Amino acid sequence: MSYVLTVIGVGSHGGCDDAVGLHLVTLLAESQSAGCGSGVDCVLWESADALTLVHDLLELANPVLLVDCADMGLAGGEWRAFVPGEGQLRLARDAVSTHGLGIAEALELARGLGFSHALRVFGVQPFDLTPRIGLTAEMGACLPVLFGALAEEVKRLLPDPSICVPVDKPFDRPVLGLGIETKSALALGRGDTIHLYGSFGDLGEPMRRVQMERAVDALLNGEDPPGVIVVDRHPDMFPGVLGRRLARERGLQLLEVQHHQAHAAACMAEHGLEHALALTFDGMGYGGDGTLWGAELLEVGRSGWLRLATFAPVPLPGGDAAVRHPLRQLFSRLLDARVEINAAWQERLGITPLESMVWSRQCRTGLQAPLTHAAGRLFDAFAAWLDLAPACIAFEGEPAIRLQAVAESWQGEPLPAPLPFVGRMADGIWIIDWSGLFAMLPPEPPCVSDRPAWAYAFHLAVAAAMVEMAVSGADRCGVRDVVLSGGVFFNGLLRTLLVERLEQAGLRVWVHRRIPTGDGGIAVGQVWLAGKVE
C-alpha cells in the first residue's frame, strides 16, 4: 500500500476523554480495512511524550494529521482542525495534548531536525480528564459526529486523482471550468472527455487561492490551451473574479452558469443524460434573482433550464453570521411562522429583548438579512431547536451532520405525528412552506431520549417534500428521470429515504457515483453545459 497521509491518534486510555484521539483513529482504521478509502496510514501513539513525538515524526514520509484531546476553550465535544501555532489552544506554549504533549515545541524541534511535511491537528475539547479508564458518556455520544468530521477532514487532505467523464459531442475547443469558492476544483473539457482535477479546498484561505491560480496558469499556458472559461454567476467569489479577469486579459470567451444548474449538469454528465429533472439541494448558492437558492427542482435540457419548485424563502439575520450561529436561523423561522418571540423563547435563544427587536427589524426590512431558500439552512434551524447545533459552528454543515447522526440512532420508538409542510403554486413555481412546522414547536426541545425520533421524523418530512416537488415537476413536463445533486445528498439517510420513495412514485433516480455530489463537482457541470452552447 502506498500511503499519502498519516493519521495519528494521540492520548491515554487512563484519563477519560484523553483517549478520544485513540478511539477516533481506531474507528478510521476499521473503516479503511472495510474498504472505505485508501492511502491513509492510521497510527496510535498512546501516552506519547514530546521527545517520542519528535523521534516518530522524523520516521514519517507523509503529511500528518494528529488527532488528540485539546483544551481550546470550547464546549465539551466540540472540535477544530488547524495548523499548530494558529492560536486555537489555551494551554501554555501551545501544548495540544491535555496530558502535557508540547506539540508546538516538538514540531519546532522536528522541523529543525529535518521534518518538512505538512502537519495539522484535529483537536477535540474534553468533558472530563479525571484519571479513569473509559470515555465519558457525553464524549461517547459525540463519537459519531466527531468521526464524520474526522473522515471529512481526511478526505479533504487526500489528493484527488483526475476523474474522466466521456461526452457524446466532442468539444470544438478546450473549455475550463473554475468551479466555486468552497471545495474548489477545476474541470477541463477537451476532445470527447471532461477531466476533473483535485480539490483546492476552501478558497477563503489565501494559500489555496495561490495554488489554484498557479494550476489555472499552467493550463492556460500549456499545449492546446482553453479558449473558453466558465464561472459561477456569483459576482464576488474568487473563481468568478479570477475567471473574468483572465478572460478579459487573454481575450477568451467567458460563460457564466448558475450554481444549481451546474450541480444538475454534473450528475447528468456523469450518466449521459440530455434531459432530466434535478433536485439540487445544498447550503446555498447564488440564485441570480437577489436570493440564495439551495432547495431546487430544475428541468434541464438542450434548450436551457427552468426552475419548477423550491422551498419558501426566509431571511438570514446578519447574513453569514446566521450561518455560523444556527440559533439566529431558528429565530428567523419562528418569526416567519408568526410565533411571538416572548420571554420563554428569548431565554431559549439566549438573546435579550433588544437583540430580539434588532433581529426582527433586520428580517422584516431585509437589512443585512438576505433571503434563502436553502435546505441546508432548514436543517440548521431544526437542529438548533432540537439542541443539537453548537452556538457557533466549526464548519459548514455541522448541524446537519449532528442531526443525521441522532436520526440514525433511532431504534424504532414511536415517532411524532408527521411534521407538517404545505405546497402551493406561486408565479409558476411550486413552493414548499415550512412555517407550519416551526409554528408548532415549543421553546423547550424534547428530552434527550426522544430526540432520535424527532430527528428521524424530520428526515422523513424533508424526503416527502422532495418527492412532492419531483412528482409535481414530472407531471408538468413529462420527464421521468431525476438526478440528485448538492451537498445535502451527502446525508446517506435522507438519500436512502428519498430514492426509495421516488422509485415508488415511478421515477428513475440518478445519483453521483464518481463526481462529488457537493461543490467539488460543479466545475464538471459548468464545462458540460458550455459544450452545449453553439
Side-chain angles (χ1 to χ4, degrees):
M1 170 72 71
S2 176
Y3 296 112
V4 295
L5 176 68
T6 299
V7 182
I8 303 170
V10 182
S12 169
H13 284 293
C16 278
D17 293 341
D18 199 23
V20 67
L22 302 174
H23 281 273
L24 288 172
V25 176
T26 297
L27 290 172
L28 184 66
E30 291 172 352
S31 72
Q32 297 287 117
S33 64
C36 301
S38 60
V40 178
D41 187 16
C42 295
V43 179
L44 300 180
W45 288 353
E46 185 172 357
S47 301
D49 57 27
L51 291 178
T52 301
L53 173 63
V54 171
H55 175 271
D56 291 344
L57 282 175
L58 292 172
E59 297 294 316
L60 299 176
N62 308 305
V64 173
L65 178 63
L66 284 177
V67 184
D68 197 5
C69 189
D71 183 5
M72 300 170 286
L74 305 174
E78 298 293 315
W79 69 273
R80 293 290 187 274
F82 54 91
V83 175
E86 287 182 347
Q88 295 280 355
L89 306 172
R90 300 182 71 190
L91 294 184
R93 299 182 306 282
D94 284 346
V96 62
S97 174
T98 47
H99 52 80
L101 178 62
I103 182 63
E105 298 92 331
L107 179 57
E108 182 179 359
L109 179 57
R111 293 287 193 211
L113 293 174
F115 179 76
S116 59
H117 302 294
L119 186 145
R120 287 177 65 82
V121 176
F122 185 95
V124 180
Q125 184 73 34
F127 289 94
D128 186 8
L129 294 173
T130 303
R132 188 174 66 248
I133 294 176
L135 296 176
T136 60
E138 295 87 349
M139 186 64 79
C142 292
L143 281 180
V145 171
L146 291 170
F147 175 70
L150 175 61
E152 282 297 310
E153 179 69 10
V154 168
K155 182 179 178 181
R156 191 181 70 80
L157 295 175
L158 288 173
D160 294 329
S162 173
I163 297 173
C164 299
V165 180
V167 294
D168 293 333
K169 178 186 174 184
F171 290 92
D172 295 331
R173 50 182 171 163
V175 177
L176 178 62
L178 300 191
I180 197 70
E181 185 146 327
T182 55
K183 301 181 178 66
S184 173
L186 301 176
L188 179 65
R190 181 184 283 151
D192 60 359
T193 303
I194 299 174
H195 300 269
L196 176 65
Y197 295 99
S199 173
F200 300 99
D202 185 353
L203 295 179
E205 299 181 24
M207 183 52 66
R208 297 186 183 277
R209 294 188 176 194
V210 171
Q211 292 171 346
M212 180 184 178
E213 282 197 75
R214 289 173 177 170
V216 171
D217 283 342
L219 290 170
L220 292 176
N221 294 323
E223 294 184 8
D224 196 15
V228 182
I229 291 181
V230 195
V231 299
D232 187 82
R233 284 184 177 175
H234 195 291
D236 300 323
M237 286 191 175
F238 178 74
V241 173
L242 174 64
R244 293 180 186 96
R245 175 175 63 80
L246 290 173
R248 184 173 60 252
E249 292 175 351
R250 294 174 177 253
L252 305 176
Q253 183 181 358
L254 177 72
L255 296 177
E256 297 183 355
V257 173
Q258 197 277 328
H259 184 99
H260 299 92
Q261 185 191 10
H263 264 310
C267 194
M268 293 173 66
E270 183 171 356
H271 296 289
L273 300 174
E274 292 292 333
H275 191 194
L277 297 175
L279 286 166
T280 55
F281 278 57
D282 59 8
M284 69 177 71
Y286 185 68
D289 63 351
T291 66
L292 301 169
W293 294 9
E296 312 305 319
L297 176 73
L298 308 178
E299 180 189 4
V300 181
R302 287 183 178 274
S303 58
W305 63 283
L306 182 66
R307 191 188 195 194
L308 299 176
T310 188
F311 285 1
V314 295
L316 283 174
D320 288 343
V323 178
R324 294 191 298 271
H325 302 280
L327 284 171
R328 289 191 182 214
Q329 299 182 57
L330 176 57
F331 177 94
S332 176
R333 293 280 176 179
L334 296 170
L335 201 67
D336 179 67
R338 301 187 177 183
V339 173
E340 179 187 359
I341 311 298
N342 54 25
W345 270 114
Q346 290 172 16
E347 181 180 358
R348 169 72 172 82
L349 295 167
I351 60 175
T352 65
L354 179 59
E355 286 174 312
S356 177
M357 182 183 70
V358 171
W359 290 0
S360 296
R361 181 168 297 178
Q362 278 188 294
C363 290
R364 293 191 173 105
T365 64
L367 179 63
Q368 294 296 317
L371 292 174
T372 178
H373 300 261
R377 306 287 73 87
L378 177 71
F379 273 80
D380 288 351
F382 194 79
W385 175 73
L386 270 184
D387 204 22
L388 299 176
C392 181
I393 65 171
F395 61 99
E396 167 75 15
E398 182 182 8
I401 291 175
R402 290 171 176 265
L403 187 60
Q404 177 188 349
V406 172
E408 289 175 339
S409 70
W410 178 63
Q411 298 295 319
E413 299 89 351
L415 294 171
L419 304 187
F421 62 88
V422 175
R424 54 182 170 81
M425 187 68 74
D427 298 325
I429 297 176
W430 190 252
I431 304 292
I432 299 294
D433 189 338
W434 293 96
S435 59
L437 167 60
F438 289 90
M440 63 172 272
L441 301 179
E444 287 301 315
C447 64
V448 173
S449 61
D450 289 339
R451 290 177 194 176
W454 278 90
Y456 193 85
F458 175 79
H459 281 74
L460 288 173
V462 174
M466 290 178 170
V467 171
E468 182 174 305
M469 293 167 68
V471 170
S472 71
D475 290 343
R476 289 170 63 187
C477 65
V479 178
R480 311 304 291 179
D481 289 299
V482 182
V483 300
L484 310 183
S485 191
V488 166
F489 295 112
F490 283 122
N491 185 323
L493 172 61
L494 178 64
R495 188 176 64 248
T496 298
L497 293 172
L498 176 61
V499 170
E500 178 182 282
R501 286 156 176 77
L502 288 173
E503 290 178 341
Q504 289 173 352
L507 301 176
R508 291 182 294 271
V509 185
W510 306 85
V511 300
H512 288 277
R513 299 299 182 191
R514 294 178 296 129
I515 297 173
T517 191
D519 287 351
I522 277 185
V524 170
Q526 292 173 340
V527 171
W528 186 79
L529 287 168
K532 305 296 179 184
V533 176
E534 296 295 336

